[in-house]
Amino acid sequence: MKTSNRGIELIKAHEGFSSRAYLCPAGKWTIGYGHTGGVKSGDVITEAQGEALLRSDIATAERAVNKTGLKLTQNQFDALVSFVFNVGTGNFNRSTLLKSAKVSTNDPRIRQEFSRWIYADGKIEPGLVKRRKTEADLYFSK
């Protein structure tokens, strides 16, 4: 599956765009729409470069979700891609969220599993609270 425009817009809305590298709440250098790979202090990019990095990062998240073999609706797929984009493939693969989805993609406990991923550097991050609610709402929407 591929991420829909709705899924891409969800990621963009929660990541925001920054042309200059900054330290995110988790202490990682970040640029563009949440890109962290190889970013260092002082880096600057254009919005077009940010869009290209976003597409590449989304493709990585899509591969991780597709690799699970889950039979997902488009909304479930988009929600999981946004989640993986934010928490990373390794965290997703080890998550109880994924374990629950493998038992049943419609398990209502999945909503609670989304809501567990709201911490950055050991503290509740309000932006992550909002993002996880949006992802869970999308996951369970028809």
Side-chain angles (χ1 to χ4, degrees):
M1 290 182 83
K2 300 291 283 177
T3 308
S4 72
N5 287 335
R6 182 178 184 181
I8 292 167
E9 291 306 313
L10 183 153
I11 293 168
K12 282 180 157 183
H14 286 281
E15 293 294 339
F17 175 77
S18 178
S19 62
R20 297 186 179 282
Y22 65 94
L23 277 174
C24 75
K28 293 184 179 182
W29 285 105
T30 306
I31 201 164
Y33 295 100
H35 180 76
T36 58
V39 180
K40 59 191 178 313
S41 176
D43 284 354
V44 178
I45 62 170
T46 65
E47 193 158 355
Q49 290 170 315
E51 186 78 28
L53 290 170
L54 173 67
R55 298 292 173 159
S56 175
D57 291 343
I58 285 174
T60 299
E62 288 171 341
R63 281 191 296 279
V65 175
N66 282 323
K67 198 178 283 189
T68 66
L70 295 170
K71 302 283 188 240
L72 300 167
T73 66
Q74 185 66 55
N75 287 343
Q76 289 171 328
F77 183 81
D78 289 350
L80 290 178
V81 167
S82 175
F83 180 78
V84 174
F85 183 96
N86 184 244
V87 305
T89 302
N91 285 328
F92 173 63
N93 288 336
R94 292 185 296 275
S95 72
T96 308
L97 190 157
L98 177 57
K99 288 180 180 85
S100 297
K102 284 184 173 182
V103 172
S104 169
T105 57
N106 296 311
D107 186 335
R109 290 176 293 185
I110 293 170
R111 181 176 293 280
Q112 179 183 343
E113 293 304 324
F114 273 106
S115 71
R116 293 178 61 204
W117 293 83
I118 57 171
Y119 297 90
D121 201 23
K123 298 179 205 136
I124 292 176
E125 180 64 38
L128 290 177
V129 173
K130 184 177 178 185
R131 182 179 190 145
R132 297 301 172 243
K133 181 181 181 328
T134 303
E135 289 167 344
D137 288 349
L138 178 60
Y139 186 93
F140 285 102
S141 66
K142 298 292 179 199

